[in-house]
Amino acid sequence: MFGLLISFVTVIIFLILSVKIIISFIKKKPFPKKLLFAMLFGVILVSSIYVYKVYSFTFDNIDKEFIQNGPGPVLSPTEEYTANAYYEPYGGAAGGVNVWVEITKHHENNNKKIIYYSDANDNTLLDWVDEKTLFITNSGPYNNSIKLDVETEIYHDRGLACRSWLMKDEYETCHQK
């Protein structure tokens, strides 16, 4: 929201600057340096917010206030891992639901790691293929089903986790839609 406000103000300043530049050339008035600096500051600020939002993504910003339990817990064949799916409603009455899958590693002090995040479709199921591979069925109009190695792979349907500089050490392969 803050970035949108700064973008709007920067566009307004740019339009005023453009008019002032044209007037300064026509009437031989001094160049509007203060407006130029204000616009450049706005562009730098908006760019910084964009870079921060895109490249510093983590799953910590999931809204867990209205969390709903999905499929799970589902134990792996060796009982080393447990998979749980959760739903995150968004957008009010006209919105939708996101689903994320969290893996609990029992042999590492029950550490939890999110390996999957996507819009929830009609049918979400969790099935272990082998001791470290989980098949996540998320079928419907948009099929976001995928088979993931829970140790080395993650999935984010919009690719935010794949671009994140903060999450690069948490996976070897990141999948996106």
Side-chain angles (χ1 to χ4, degrees), residues 30-168:
F31 188 78
K33 293 178 187 172
K34 289 181 183 177
L35 273 176
L36 177 65
F37 288 129
M39 190 210 52
L40 290 176
F41 178 74
V43 168
I44 290 170
L45 191 59
V46 168
S47 300
S48 300
I49 292 170
Y50 173 77
V51 167
Y52 173 77
K53 286 284 194 184
V54 170
Y55 295 108
S56 67
F57 174 84
T58 64
F59 289 116
D60 294 338
N61 59 358
I62 294 174
D63 183 12
K64 295 182 180 177
E65 183 178 353
F66 301 108
I67 189 174
Q68 299 171 2
N69 290 327
V74 180
L75 279 170
S76 66
T78 60
E79 297 185 0
E80 183 178 347
Y81 304 99
T82 300
N84 284 297
Y86 301 98
Y87 296 117
E88 169 197 27
Y90 65 87
V97 177
N98 288 323
V99 62
W100 77 89
V101 176
E102 185 176 75
I103 299 296
T104 304
K105 298 179 184 181
H106 298 294
H107 299 306
E108 293 182 13
N109 298 325
N110 290 329
N111 286 342
K112 295 182 179 190
K113 173 183 173 185
I114 295 174
I115 63 164
Y116 180 91
Y117 188 85
S118 177
D119 276 333
N121 289 313
D122 298 336
N123 188 16
T124 304
L125 298 170
L126 306 174
D127 292 309
W128 288 95
V129 175
D130 59 35
E131 61 272 357
K132 292 186 180 184
T133 307
L134 181 66
F135 186 73
I136 302 163
T137 304
N138 187 10
S139 59
Y142 306 104
N143 187 3
N144 294 334
S145 301
I146 192 166
K147 190 185 307 182
L148 295 173
D149 180 326
V150 298
E151 289 286 321
T152 62
E153 297 179 314
I154 64 172
Y155 175 86
H156 191 282
D157 65 342
R158 286 168 264 150
L160 295 177
C162 300
R163 289 188 298 256
S164 175
W165 293 332
L166 300 177
M167 294 189 67
K168 288 290 184 192

